[in-house]
Amino acid sequence: MRVHRHFLSKRDARKIIEIIEDEYPLLFQEYVMRNRDVEMAKINVDDNEYIIYIVKGKPLIIELNSKLIPLMIVLLELYNKYGFSKLASSFKYVLTDQGAMKPILRGADVMAPGIIDNNEFLRGDIVIVFANTGSSNVPIAVGEALKDFKELGYSRKGKIIKNLHRIGDKIWNISIRIAR
């Protein structure tokens, strides 16, 4: 793994900050609002290049498919601080049943039959995937909506969320290394 880190120029940092503020206000409020210095890490692993944006030494988001996606390491930190309700009201989300948790953690996409609750999202939106563990609703993955939330009511079959990042994947391991 090769890592190249540097601070962004004020202009480039402002662009990233504006996206975070617009798309992920809770991330902005918790991590960026009081610190405008944004660091970019380019990581090369197995012929793949990942770009992660870091604020105050904390990896916050990763750039995938030209979209900025919150990292699971940060979502779990916010979950531990605020709980499910605050995250569910701050992000687009789906809640899956217990049976869907293991396949999603192995990299499977989120299928319609496993979804037991959600808020409004549109095709292409970044969605946080929570799993009901019986006693709580825990964030386990981040994905991209393949369909609008309204289509869940019409069809209870097929892929709804493409799994982009999950607990324990390569991105998770990279973000933990960077956070040290």
Side-chain angles (χ1 to χ4, degrees):
M1 180 169 89
R2 210 174 80 226
V3 179
H4 174 73
R5 290 171 72 152
H6 69 276
F7 283 95
L8 296 177
S9 68
K10 291 196 182 301
R11 190 183 91 216
D12 290 341
R14 194 174 317 115
K15 288 178 188 174
I16 298 299
I17 289 167
E18 286 173 1
I19 293 169
I20 294 171
E21 185 176 14
D22 290 344
E23 295 184 21
Y24 309 114
L26 185 59
L27 282 181
F28 176 80
Q29 174 189 329
E30 285 294 312
Y31 300 104
V32 182
M33 191 163 64
R34 291 175 292 284
N35 188 335
R36 299 296 179 148
D37 294 328
V38 178
E39 195 175 357
M40 181 177 82
K42 284 187 179 181
I43 302 107
N44 291 302
V45 179
D46 302 332
D47 295 328
N48 293 315
E49 183 176 79
Y50 299 96
I51 297 175
I52 294 179
Y53 295 97
I54 304 160
V55 176
K56 289 177 68 174
K58 180 166 297 299
L60 292 183
I61 53 178
I62 185 165
E63 191 172 323
L64 290 175
N65 307 329
S66 301
K67 293 186 179 203
L68 297 180
I69 298 164
L71 290 164
M72 285 304 305
I73 190 171
V74 172
L75 292 172
L76 283 171
E77 186 175 289
L78 290 171
Y79 171 78
N80 289 330
K81 183 173 182 178
Y82 293 113
F84 170 74
S85 296
K86 178 79 171 181
L87 265 65
S89 66
S90 300
F91 294 94
K92 295 167 179 151
Y93 80 93
V94 295
L95 174 63
T96 64
D97 59 25
Q98 280 182 310
M101 187 163 73
K102 283 185 182 177
I104 292 168
L105 287 173
R106 287 194 301 264
D109 294 331
V110 180
M111 307 298 281
I115 297 174
I116 57 177
D117 189 25
N118 61 276
N119 61 6
E120 294 184 8
F121 56 84
L122 301 174
R123 178 188 202 126
D125 284 347
I126 299 303
V127 178
I128 310 304
V129 180
F130 290 88
N132 181 295
T133 63
S135 60
S136 61
N137 301 323
V138 181
I140 60 168
V142 180
E144 182 176 356
L146 299 173
K147 298 180 180 180
D148 293 355
F149 80 99
K150 291 178 182 177
E151 294 179 54
L152 274 172
Y154 305 125
S155 171
R156 295 300 303 163
K157 61 183 178 180
K159 293 180 183 180
I160 300 296
I161 308 293
K162 178 177 176 40
N163 193 337
L164 298 176
H165 168 43
R166 65 189 187 283
I167 294 172
D169 69 1
K170 192 179 291 187
I171 296 168
W172 168 266
N173 293 326
I174 290 169
S175 61
I176 287 179
R177 282 190 190 172
I178 289 174
R180 290 183 186 160

